Amino acid sequence: MQFFDRLFQHRSVVRTLCLLPLILYLLFFQAISLNVNYVAYDDTHVLQIIEQWQKSANWHEKLDWLTVGFPEHRIVFTRSVVLISYWLTGHVNLKSLMMISNGLWIGQLGILFLIFQKIPSSSPSRSLPFAYFIPVCWILLCVHSFENIFWGTSSLGNFGLLFFVMMAGYFYATPSTLPRLFLALLFSLFATFTYGNGLVTLLIGGFLLVLMQRKKMAGITAGAFAATMLLYSLTRAHASPSGLDLTNPSSYGHAVTCFLAFIGSSINVDVYAPSNLAVWGSVAWGAVLLGGILWLLLKALDLKNFGLKIRHFQVTVKMNEVQFFTLFLLLFICLTALGVVYKRAEGDGLIGMFKGRYRMYPTWLLVVGYLLLIHWLRDSKKWLLPLTIGLSVVFNLLILYYAVAPAVNNRRAAVVQEFNSMYNDDLLGLKMFDLTGEDFRQIQRLYQPNLFFETTPETAMPKEPFLLDSVYFKGDILTIDYHKDFIRPTRDFDDGAYIMLQSSKHTYMAAGTQRPLPLKTFIRRGWYWDKGFTASMHRASVAPGTYEILVLIRNNGQNKLFDTRRKVTF
């Protein structure tokens, strides 16, 4: 332990260990991010605000379009950033929006550092060493939520919400003056009109003020909540999907399991292909993590005069700013988890608790647990610092390893969606969002995606033979497999394999999904990608007809088209 004590006393070592996860995060972002739409049409739908704003006859209509539900969320912040970006540059760059979003996520480190500085050392004569902040950096800057990292508009809502919530939580936890309370209320308002669950920020803040016995401030917060609710009710909302059936007693056991899986999903590093062990491990870890955090918070409660009569029961809350801040985040995470369970558990089950847009919340819970742990033990335990640094580094790197492949595959799928939407006006995805092909192309001109196809798909190219391993339907899904050769990205991550289905009337594209090699192989040989690829298309997304199957291999930024000598009928 003396070695680690001496090592972490060097400022250069500590700063390097704090900067390394940031460098990895930025390299991950730069390598994979593209100015293309996400694999849903949410970006396209949100970008309609530009035309809606321009065509509005008055400010009342403009504000109505700015605040209308999406579907039940009020994404005012997202739409405002999109409009400002368009006003400043004359177009919208989705990658720039991603940079703003990720800047807000990274910016949380500044707030956490302010809270970290309030944790006292075990020695009254000095503060807690800065080295104890290293695990916070490695935990927060993991890439578990890679879907949000590369999601042009929706990441503004998801990451923006959490930044505003954390800012509000910081000022609620330290409301020494009325100006600080007004800042808390302001960020609560921002959170409310950034995403739907931001509305509970005011409720949690008011609850904290009651615990602090700041009655005047709690009353002001209650008034602000009432005003915000009135403002919220004046804006248009779309109907939310049906939720959990609370009249069925069996739903409650399922809800508890899903709730624990949600808050414990940080342990599930391979979120797109979780094993049963990982799924149920998340449930167990959620119970352990939540129980540990509650135990650490309950230590701040002082029970006095506990007797058989209720009038003899008295609870004294002895929490400091760090504990109030962590309680604020814990309540926000738990209330959000309950909302997700109500909304998703019925249809999606346990697997639905691991969606990419949710994985920031279990990451937050790890940060909460760590802050409470070092607040309790401080630097009295010499083993705590090397252990937590080691665990946080391994946690970060494991998630990075498992996130690269699905993040790359998602980006290729986004490129494919751009292709299919441009060249197939009857595409099912467009119909689901009430878009025509011309609507899509008009919106696409706003962000001018960086695509590797700039001419029509009918352009003649030499077609060398390419022998696939298998082509088959499994239910309504066409699956195409090829597992002979390594296909490694060279120039950037839009390099890879793409399947093209071509008929006399339609041309569709599907991305070749690549898998990572097993972790032990990667460590031993330094190779990440497995051989070959798999591509799939759903019957509903393809117009009826007979299609030639072509393979487009993109290598070092150059396209080469191959003929598989196979046909398929939809």
Side-chain angles (χ1 to χ4, degrees), residues 426-498:
D426 57 350
L427 193 69
L428 176 64
L430 295 176
K431 293 178 181 178
M432 290 173 63
F433 278 76
D434 297 323
L435 294 168
T436 66
E438 182 52 39
D439 290 335
F440 178 84
R441 288 186 288 273
Q442 183 175 345
I443 294 171
Q444 190 189 58
R445 295 184 198 109
L446 295 173
Y447 60 95
Q448 299 172 5
N450 50 319
L451 303 171
F452 60 74
F453 51 87
E454 295 182 357
T455 55
T456 58
E458 292 79 17
T459 300
M461 295 179 68
K463 302 180 183 66
E464 299 179 16
F466 191 98
L467 300 181
L468 297 169
D469 289 341
S470 58
V471 178
Y472 60 93
F473 276 99
K474 187 174 182 180
D476 289 330
I477 307 250
L478 171 69
T479 301
I480 298 171
D481 289 324
Y482 175 80
H483 298 301
K484 292 188 178 70
D485 301 320
F486 281 100
I487 300 172
R488 292 193 178 96
T490 305
R491 180 177 173 182
D492 55 40
F493 282 118
D494 68 358
D495 277 5
Y498 298 83

Coordinates of all heavy atoms in Angstrom, one line a residue, residues 426-498:
D426 N -41.7 4.5 -50.7 CA -42.8 3.7 -50.1 C -42.2 3.0 -48.9 O -42.9 2.0 -48.4 CB -43.4 2.8 -51.1 CG -42.4 1.8 -51.7 OD1 -41.2 2.1 -51.5 OD2 -42.8 0.9 -52.4
L427 N -41.1 3.4 -48.4 CA -40.4 2.7 -47.2 C -41.3 2.7 -46.0 O -41.9 3.7 -45.6 CB -39.1 3.3 -46.9 CG -38.2 2.5 -46.0 CD1 -37.6 1.3 -46.7 CD2 -37.0 3.4 -45.5
L428 N -41.4 1.5 -45.3 CA -42.3 1.4 -44.2 C -41.9 2.4 -43.1 O -42.8 3.0 -42.4 CB -42.2 0.0 -43.6 CG -43.0 -0.3 -42.3 CD1 -44.4 -0.1 -42.5 CD2 -42.6 -1.7 -41.8
G429 N -40.6 2.6 -42.8 CA -40.1 3.5 -41.8 C -40.6 4.9 -42.0 O -41.0 5.6 -41.1
L430 N -40.7 5.4 -43.3 CA -41.2 6.7 -43.6 C -42.7 6.8 -43.3 O -43.2 7.8 -42.7 CB -41.0 7.1 -45.1 CG -39.5 7.2 -45.5 CD1 -39.5 7.4 -47.0 CD2 -38.8 8.3 -44.8
K431 N -43.4 5.7 -43.6 CA -44.9 5.7 -43.4 C -45.2 5.8 -41.9 O -46.1 6.4 -41.5 CB -45.5 4.5 -44.0 CG -45.4 4.4 -45.5 CD -46.0 3.1 -46.1 CE -46.0 3.1 -47.6 NZ -46.5 1.8 -48.1
M432 N -44.4 5.1 -41.1 CA -44.6 5.0 -39.6 C -44.5 6.4 -39.0 O -45.1 6.7 -38.0 CB -43.6 4.0 -39.0 CG -43.9 2.6 -39.3 SD -42.6 1.5 -38.7 CE -42.8 1.7 -36.9
F433 N -43.7 7.3 -39.6 CA -43.5 8.6 -39.1 C -44.3 9.7 -39.9 O -44.0 10.8 -39.9 CB -42.0 9.0 -39.0 CG -41.4 8.4 -37.8 CD1 -41.0 7.1 -37.7 CD2 -41.1 9.3 -36.7 CE1 -40.4 6.6 -36.5 CE2 -40.5 8.8 -35.6 CZ -40.1 7.4 -35.5
D434 N -45.2 9.2 -40.7 CA -46.0 10.1 -41.6 C -45.2 11.0 -42.5 O -45.5 12.1 -42.7 CB -47.0 10.9 -40.7 CG -48.0 10.1 -39.9 OD1 -48.4 9.1 -40.5 OD2 -48.2 10.4 -38.8
L435 N -44.1 10.4 -43.0 CA -43.2 11.1 -43.9 C -43.3 10.5 -45.3 O -43.5 9.3 -45.5 CB -41.8 11.0 -43.5 CG -41.4 11.7 -42.1 CD1 -40.0 11.2 -41.7 CD2 -41.5 13.2 -42.2
T436 N -43.3 11.4 -46.3 CA -43.1 11.0 -47.7 C -41.6 11.0 -48.0 O -40.8 11.6 -47.3 CB -43.9 11.9 -48.7 OG1 -43.3 13.2 -48.6 CG2 -45.3 12.0 -48.3
G437 N -41.3 10.4 -49.2 CA -39.9 10.4 -49.6 C -39.4 11.9 -49.8 O -38.3 12.2 -49.4
E438 N -40.2 12.7 -50.3 CA -39.8 14.1 -50.6 C -39.7 14.8 -49.2 O -38.8 15.7 -49.1 CB -40.9 14.8 -51.4 CG -40.5 16.3 -51.8 CD -39.2 16.4 -52.3 OE1 -38.7 15.6 -53.2 OE2 -38.5 17.4 -52.0
D439 N -40.6 14.5 -48.3 CA -40.4 15.1 -46.9 C -39.0 14.8 -46.4 O -38.3 15.7 -45.8 CB -41.5 14.5 -46.0 CG -42.9 15.0 -46.3 OD1 -43.0 16.1 -46.9 OD2 -43.8 14.3 -45.9
F440 N -38.7 13.5 -46.5 CA -37.4 13.1 -45.9 C -36.2 13.8 -46.6 O -35.3 14.3 -46.0 CB -37.2 11.6 -46.1 CG -35.9 11.1 -45.6 CD1 -35.7 10.8 -44.2 CD2 -34.8 10.9 -46.4 CE1 -34.5 10.3 -43.8 CE2 -33.6 10.5 -46.0 CZ -33.4 10.2 -44.6
R441 N -36.3 13.8 -48.0 CA -35.1 14.5 -48.7 C -35.1 16.0 -48.4 O -34.0 16.5 -48.4 CB -35.3 14.2 -50.2 CG -35.0 12.8 -50.6 CD -35.0 12.5 -52.1 NE -36.4 12.6 -52.6 CZ -37.2 11.6 -52.7 NH1 -36.8 10.4 -52.3 NH2 -38.4 11.7 -53.2
Q442 N -36.2 16.6 -48.2 CA -36.2 18.0 -47.9 C -35.6 18.3 -46.5 O -34.8 19.2 -46.3 CB -37.7 18.6 -47.9 CG -37.8 20.1 -47.6 CD -39.2 20.6 -47.7 OE1 -40.0 19.9 -48.3 NE2 -39.4 21.8 -47.2
I443 N -35.9 17.4 -45.5 CA -35.3 17.6 -44.2 C -33.8 17.2 -44.3 O -33.0 17.8 -43.6 CB -36.0 16.7 -43.2 CG1 -37.5 17.2 -43.0 CG2 -35.3 16.6 -41.8 CD1 -38.4 16.3 -42.2
Q444 N -33.5 16.2 -45.1 CA -32.1 15.7 -45.2 C -31.2 16.9 -45.7 O -30.0 17.0 -45.3 CB -32.0 14.5 -46.2 CG -30.7 13.9 -46.2 CD -30.6 12.8 -47.3 OE1 -30.8 13.1 -48.4 NE2 -30.4 11.6 -46.9
R445 N -31.8 17.8 -46.5 CA -31.0 18.9 -47.0 C -30.5 19.8 -45.9 O -29.5 20.5 -46.1 CB -31.8 19.7 -48.1 CG -32.1 18.9 -49.3 CD -32.8 19.7 -50.4 NE -33.4 18.9 -51.4 CZ -34.7 18.7 -51.5 NH1 -35.6 19.4 -50.7 NH2 -35.2 17.9 -52.5
L446 N -31.2 19.8 -44.8 CA -30.9 20.6 -43.7 C -29.6 20.2 -43.0 O -28.8 21.0 -42.5 CB -32.0 20.6 -42.6 CG -33.3 21.2 -43.0 CD1 -34.3 20.9 -41.9 CD2 -33.2 22.7 -43.3
Y447 N -29.3 18.9 -43.0 CA -28.1 18.4 -42.3 C -27.0 17.8 -43.3 O -25.9 17.5 -42.9 CB -28.4 17.4 -41.2 CG -29.2 16.2 -41.6 CD1 -28.5 15.0 -41.9 CD2 -30.5 16.1 -41.7 CE1 -29.1 13.8 -42.2 CE2 -31.2 15.0 -42.0 CZ -30.5 13.8 -42.3 OH -31.2 12.7 -42.6
Q448 N -27.4 17.6 -44.6 CA -26.5 17.2 -45.6 C -25.5 16.1 -45.1 O -24.3 16.4 -44.8 CB -25.7 18.4 -46.1 CG -26.6 19.5 -46.7 CD -25.8 20.7 -47.0 OE1 -24.6 20.8 -46.9 NE2 -26.5 21.8 -47.5
P449 N -26.0 14.9 -44.9 CA -25.2 13.9 -44.3 C -23.9 13.5 -45.1 O -23.9 13.6 -46.3 CB -26.2 12.7 -44.2 CG -27.1 12.9 -45.3 CD -27.3 14.4 -45.4
N450 N -22.9 13.1 -44.4 CA -21.7 12.6 -45.1 C -21.9 11.1 -45.4 O -21.6 10.3 -44.6 CB -20.4 12.8 -44.2 CG -20.6 12.3 -42.8 OD1 -21.6 12.5 -42.2 ND2 -19.5 11.7 -42.3
L451 N -22.3 10.9 -46.7 CA -22.6 9.5 -47.1 C -21.6 9.1 -48.1 O -21.0 9.9 -48.8 CB -24.0 9.5 -47.7 CG -25.1 10.0 -46.8 CD1 -26.4 10.1 -47.6 CD2 -25.3 9.0 -45.7
F452 N -21.3 7.8 -48.2 CA -20.4 7.3 -49.2 C -21.0 7.0 -50.6 O -20.3 6.6 -51.5 CB -19.6 6.1 -48.7 CG -20.5 4.9 -48.4 CD1 -21.1 4.1 -49.4 CD2 -20.8 4.5 -47.1 CE1 -21.9 3.0 -49.2 CE2 -21.6 3.4 -46.8 CZ -22.1 2.7 -47.9
F453 N -22.3 7.2 -50.7 CA -23.0 7.1 -52.0 C -23.5 8.5 -52.3 O -24.2 9.1 -51.6 CB -24.1 6.1 -52.0 CG -25.0 6.3 -50.8 CD1 -26.2 7.1 -51.0 CD2 -24.9 5.6 -49.6 CE1 -27.1 7.3 -49.9 CE2 -25.8 5.8 -48.6 CZ -26.9 6.6 -48.7
E454 N -23.1 9.0 -53.5 CA -23.5 10.3 -53.9 C -24.2 10.3 -55.2 O -24.7 11.3 -55.7 CB -22.3 11.3 -54.0 CG -21.7 11.6 -52.6 CD -20.6 12.6 -52.7 OE1 -20.2 13.0 -53.8 OE2 -20.0 12.9 -51.6
T455 N -24.2 9.1 -55.9 CA -24.9 8.9 -57.1 C -26.0 7.9 -56.9 O -26.1 7.3 -55.9 CB -24.0 8.5 -58.2 OG1 -23.4 7.2 -57.7 CG2 -22.9 9.5 -58.5
T456 N -26.9 7.8 -57.9 CA -28.0 6.8 -57.8 C -27.5 5.4 -57.8 O -26.4 5.1 -58.3 CB -29.0 7.0 -58.9 OG1 -28.3 6.8 -60.2 CG2 -29.6 8.4 -58.9
P457 N -28.2 4.5 -57.1 CA -27.7 3.1 -57.0 C -27.6 2.4 -58.3 O -27.0 1.3 -58.4 CB -28.7 2.5 -56.1 CG -29.9 3.3 -56.2 CD -29.4 4.7 -56.4
E458 N -28.2 2.9 -59.4 CA -28.2 2.3 -60.7 C -26.9 2.5 -61.4 O -26.7 1.9 -62.5 CB -29.4 2.7 -61.6 CG -30.8 2.3 -61.1 CD -31.3 3.2 -59.9 OE1 -30.7 4.3 -59.7 OE2 -32.2 2.8 -59.2
T459 N -26.0 3.3 -60.9 CA -24.8 3.6 -61.6 C -24.0 2.3 -61.8 O -23.8 1.4 -60.9 CB -23.9 4.5 -60.7 OG1 -24.6 5.7 -60.5 CG2 -22.6 4.8 -61.4
A460 N -23.6 2.1 -63.1 CA -22.9 0.8 -63.4 C -21.5 0.7 -62.7 O -20.8 1.6 -62.7 CB -22.7 0.8 -64.9
M461 N -21.3 -0.5 -62.1 CA -20.0 -0.8 -61.5 C -19.7 -2.2 -61.9 O -20.5 -3.1 -62.0 CB -20.1 -0.7 -60.0 CG -20.4 0.7 -59.5 SD -20.5 0.7 -57.6 CE -18.8 0.3 -57.2
P462 N -18.4 -2.5 -62.1 CA -18.0 -3.9 -62.4 C -18.3 -4.8 -61.2 O -18.1 -4.4 -60.0 CB -16.5 -3.8 -62.6 CG -16.1 -2.6 -61.9 CD -17.2 -1.6 -62.0
K463 N -18.9 -6.0 -61.5 CA -19.4 -6.9 -60.4 C -18.6 -8.2 -60.4 O -18.8 -9.0 -61.3 CB -20.8 -7.1 -60.5 CG -21.7 -5.9 -60.5 CD -23.2 -6.2 -60.6 CE -24.1 -5.0 -60.6 NZ -23.8 -4.2 -61.8
E464 N -17.6 -8.3 -59.6 CA -16.9 -9.6 -59.4 C -17.7 -10.5 -58.6 O -18.6 -10.1 -57.8 CB -15.5 -9.3 -58.8 CG -14.6 -8.4 -59.5 CD -13.3 -8.1 -58.8 OE1 -13.0 -8.9 -57.9 OE2 -12.6 -7.2 -59.2
P465 N -17.5 -11.8 -58.7 CA -18.3 -12.8 -58.0 C -17.9 -12.8 -56.5 O -16.8 -12.5 -56.1 CB -17.9 -14.2 -58.6 CG -16.5 -13.9 -59.2 CD -16.5 -12.5 -59.7
F466 N -18.9 -13.0 -55.7 CA -18.8 -13.1 -54.2 C -19.7 -14.2 -53.7 O -20.9 -14.1 -53.8 CB -19.1 -11.7 -53.6 CG -18.8 -11.5 -52.2 CD1 -17.6 -10.8 -51.8 CD2 -19.6 -12.0 -51.1 CE1 -17.3 -10.6 -50.5 CE2 -19.3 -11.8 -49.8 CZ -18.1 -11.2 -49.5
L467 N -19.1 -15.2 -53.1 CA -19.9 -16.4 -52.7 C -20.3 -16.3 -51.2 O -19.4 -16.3 -50.3 CB -19.1 -17.7 -52.9 CG -18.7 -17.9 -54.4 CD1 -17.9 -19.2 -54.5 CD2 -19.9 -17.9 -55.3
L468 N -21.6 -16.1 -51.0 CA -22.1 -16.1 -49.6 C -22.2 -17.5 -49.0 O -22.2 -18.5 -49.7 CB -23.5 -15.4 -49.6 CG -23.6 -14.0 -50.1 CD1 -25.0 -13.6 -50.3 CD2 -22.9 -13.0 -49.1
D469 N -22.2 -17.5 -47.7 CA -22.3 -18.8 -47.0 C -23.8 -19.3 -47.0 O -24.1 -20.4 -47.2 CB -21.8 -18.7 -45.5 CG -20.3 -18.6 -45.5 OD1 -19.6 -18.9 -46.5 OD2 -19.8 -18.1 -44.4
S470 N -24.7 -18.4 -46.7 CA -26.1 -18.8 -46.6 C -27.0 -17.6 -46.8 O -26.7 -16.4 -46.4 CB -26.4 -19.5 -45.2 OG -26.1 -18.6 -44.2
V471 N -28.2 -17.8 -47.4 CA -29.2 -16.9 -47.5 C -30.5 -17.6 -47.1 O -30.9 -18.6 -47.8 CB -29.3 -16.3 -49.0 CG1 -30.5 -15.3 -49.1 CG2 -28.0 -15.7 -49.4
Y472 N -31.2 -17.1 -46.1 CA -32.4 -17.9 -45.7 C -33.4 -16.9 -44.9 O -33.0 -15.9 -44.4 CB -32.0 -19.0 -44.8 CG -31.3 -18.6 -43.5 CD1 -32.0 -18.4 -42.3 CD2 -29.9 -18.5 -43.5 CE1 -31.3 -18.0 -41.2 CE2 -29.2 -18.1 -42.4 CZ -30.0 -17.9 -41.2 OH -29.3 -17.5 -40.0
F473 N -34.6 -17.3 -44.9 CA -35.7 -16.6 -44.2 C -35.9 -17.3 -42.9 O -36.0 -18.6 -42.8 CB -37.0 -16.5 -44.9 CG -37.1 -15.4 -45.9 CD1 -36.8 -15.6 -47.3 CD2 -37.4 -14.1 -45.5 CE1 -36.9 -14.6 -48.2 CE2 -37.5 -13.1 -46.4 CZ -37.2 -13.3 -47.7
K474 N -35.9 -16.6 -41.8 CA -36.3 -17.1 -40.5 C -37.5 -16.3 -40.0 O -37.4 -15.2 -39.6 CB -35.2 -17.0 -39.5 CG -35.5 -17.7 -38.2 CD -34.3 -17.8 -37.2 CE -34.7 -18.5 -35.9 NZ -33.5 -18.5 -35.0
G475 N -38.7 -16.9 -40.3 CA -39.9 -16.1 -40.0 C -40.0 -15.0 -41.1 O -39.9 -15.3 -42.3
D476 N -40.1 -13.8 -40.7 CA -40.2 -12.7 -41.7 C -38.9 -12.0 -41.9 O -38.8 -10.9 -42.5 CB -41.2 -11.6 -41.2 CG -42.6 -12.1 -41.3 OD1 -42.9 -12.9 -42.2 OD2 -43.5 -11.7 -40.4
I477 N -37.8 -12.5 -41.4 CA -36.5 -11.9 -41.5 C -35.6 -12.6 -42.5 O -35.4 -13.8 -42.3 CB -35.8 -11.9 -40.1 CG1 -36.7 -11.3 -39.1 CG2 -34.4 -11.2 -40.2 CD1 -36.4 -10.0 -38.5
L478 N -35.1 -11.9 -43.5 CA -34.1 -12.4 -44.4 C -32.8 -12.3 -43.7 O -32.4 -11.2 -43.3 CB -34.1 -11.7 -45.7 CG -33.0 -12.0 -46.7 CD1 -33.1 -13.5 -47.2 CD2 -32.9 -11.0 -47.8
T479 N -32.0 -13.4 -43.6 CA -30.7 -13.3 -43.0 C -29.6 -13.8 -44.1 O -29.8 -14.8 -44.8 CB -30.6 -14.3 -41.8 OG1 -31.6 -13.8 -40.8 CG2 -29.2 -14.2 -41.2
I480 N -28.6 -13.1 -44.1 CA -27.5 -13.3 -45.1 C -26.2 -13.4 -44.3 O -25.8 -12.5 -43.5 CB -27.3 -12.2 -46.1 CG1 -28.6 -12.2 -47.0 CG2 -26.1 -12.4 -47.0 CD1 -28.7 -11.0 -47.9
D481 N -25.5 -14.6 -44.4 CA -24.3 -14.8 -43.7 C -23.1 -15.0 -44.6 O -23.1 -15.6 -45.7 CB -24.4 -16.1 -42.8 CG -25.4 -15.9 -41.7 OD1 -25.4 -14.8 -41.1 OD2 -26.1 -16.9 -41.4
Y482 N -21.9 -14.5 -44.1 CA -20.6 -14.7 -44.7 C -19.6 -14.6 -43.6 O -19.5 -13.6 -42.9 CB -20.4 -13.5 -45.8 CG -19.0 -13.6 -46.4 CD1 -18.8 -14.5 -47.4 CD2 -18.0 -12.8 -46.0 CE1 -17.5 -14.6 -48.0 CE2 -16.7 -12.9 -46.5 CZ -16.5 -13.8 -47.6 OH -15.2 -13.9 -48.1
H483 N -18.8 -15.7 -43.5 CA -17.9 -15.8 -42.4 C -16.5 -16.4 -42.8 O -15.9 -17.2 -42.1 CB -18.5 -16.7 -41.3 CG -19.7 -16.2 -40.7 ND1 -19.8 -14.9 -40.1 CD2 -21.0 -16.7 -40.6 CE1 -21.0 -14.7 -39.7 NE2 -21.8 -15.8 -40.0
K484 N -16.1 -16.0 -44.0 CA -14.8 -16.5 -44.5 C -13.6 -15.6 -44.2 O -12.6 -16.1 -43.8 CB -14.9 -16.8 -46.0 CG -15.9 -17.9 -46.4 CD -15.8 -18.2 -47.9 CE -16.7 -19.4 -48.3 NZ -18.1 -18.9 -48.2
D485 N -13.7 -14.3 -44.5 CA -12.6 -13.4 -44.5 C -12.8 -12.3 -43.4 O -13.9 -12.0 -43.1 CB -12.3 -12.8 -45.8 CG -12.1 -13.8 -46.9 OD1 -11.4 -14.8 -46.6 OD2 -12.6 -13.6 -48.0
F486 N -11.7 -11.8 -43.0 CA -11.7 -10.6 -42.1 C -12.0 -9.4 -42.9 O -11.5 -9.1 -44.0 CB -10.4 -10.4 -41.4 CG -10.2 -11.3 -40.2 CD1 -9.4 -12.4 -40.3 CD2 -10.8 -11.0 -39.0 CE1 -9.2 -13.3 -39.2 CE2 -10.6 -11.9 -37.9 CZ -9.8 -13.0 -38.0
I487 N -12.9 -8.5 -42.4 CA -13.3 -7.3 -43.1 C -13.0 -6.2 -42.0 O -13.8 -5.9 -41.2 CB -14.7 -7.2 -43.6 CG1 -15.0 -8.4 -44.6 CG2 -15.1 -5.9 -44.2 CD1 -16.4 -8.5 -44.9
R488 N -11.8 -5.6 -42.1 CA -11.4 -4.6 -41.1 C -11.6 -3.2 -41.6 O -11.2 -2.9 -42.7 CB -10.0 -4.9 -40.6 CG -9.8 -6.1 -39.9 CD -8.4 -6.1 -39.2 NE -8.2 -7.4 -38.5 CZ -7.5 -8.4 -38.9 NH1 -7.1 -8.4 -40.2 NH2 -7.4 -9.5 -38.2
P489 N -12.2 -2.3 -40.8 CA -12.2 -0.9 -41.2 C -10.8 -0.3 -41.3 O -9.9 -0.6 -40.5 CB -12.9 -0.2 -40.0 CG -13.7 -1.3 -39.3 CD -12.8 -2.5 -39.5
T490 N -10.5 0.4 -42.4 CA -9.2 1.0 -42.6 C -9.2 2.5 -42.5 O -8.4 3.0 -41.7 CB -8.7 0.6 -44.0 OG1 -8.8 -0.8 -44.2 CG2 -7.3 1.0 -44.3
R491 N -10.1 3.1 -43.2 CA -10.1 4.6 -43.2 C -10.9 5.1 -42.1 O -10.4 5.9 -41.2 CB -10.7 5.1 -44.5 CG -10.7 6.6 -44.6 CD -11.2 7.0 -46.0 NE -11.5 8.5 -46.1 CZ -12.0 9.0 -47.2 NH1 -12.3 8.3 -48.3 NH2 -12.2 10.3 -47.2
D492 N -12.1 4.7 -42.0 CA -13.0 5.0 -40.8 C -14.0 3.9 -40.7 O -14.0 2.9 -41.5 CB -13.6 6.4 -40.9 CG -14.4 6.6 -42.2 OD1 -15.1 5.7 -42.6 OD2 -14.3 7.7 -42.8
F493 N -15.0 4.1 -39.8 CA -15.9 3.0 -39.5 C -17.1 2.9 -40.4 O -18.0 2.1 -40.1 CB -16.3 3.0 -38.0 CG -15.3 2.5 -37.1 CD1 -14.7 3.3 -36.1 CD2 -14.8 1.2 -37.2 CE1 -13.7 2.9 -35.3 CE2 -13.9 0.7 -36.3 CZ -13.3 1.5 -35.4
D494 N -17.2 3.7 -41.5 CA -18.2 3.3 -42.5 C -17.6 2.4 -43.5 O -18.3 1.9 -44.4 CB -18.8 4.6 -43.2 CG -17.8 5.3 -44.1 OD1 -16.6 4.9 -44.1 OD2 -18.2 6.3 -44.7
D495 N -16.3 2.1 -43.4 CA -15.7 0.9 -44.1 C -16.4 -0.4 -43.6 O -16.6 -0.5 -42.4 CB -14.2 0.8 -43.8 CG -13.4 1.7 -44.7 OD1 -14.0 2.5 -45.5 OD2 -12.1 1.7 -44.7
G496 N -16.7 -1.3 -44.5 CA -17.3 -2.5 -44.1 C -18.1 -3.1 -45.3 O -17.9 -2.7 -46.4
A497 N -18.9 -4.1 -45.0 CA -19.7 -4.8 -46.0 C -21.2 -4.3 -45.9 O -21.7 -4.1 -44.8 CB -19.6 -6.3 -45.7
Y498 N -21.8 -4.2 -47.1 CA -23.2 -3.8 -47.2 C -23.8 -4.7 -48.3 O -23.3 -4.9 -49.3 CB -23.3 -2.3 -47.6 CG -22.7 -1.3 -46.6 CD1 -21.3 -1.1 -46.7 CD2 -23.5 -0.7 -45.7 CE1 -20.8 -0.2 -45.7 CE2 -22.9 0.2 -44.8 CZ -21.6 0.4 -44.8 OH -21.0 1.3 -43.9

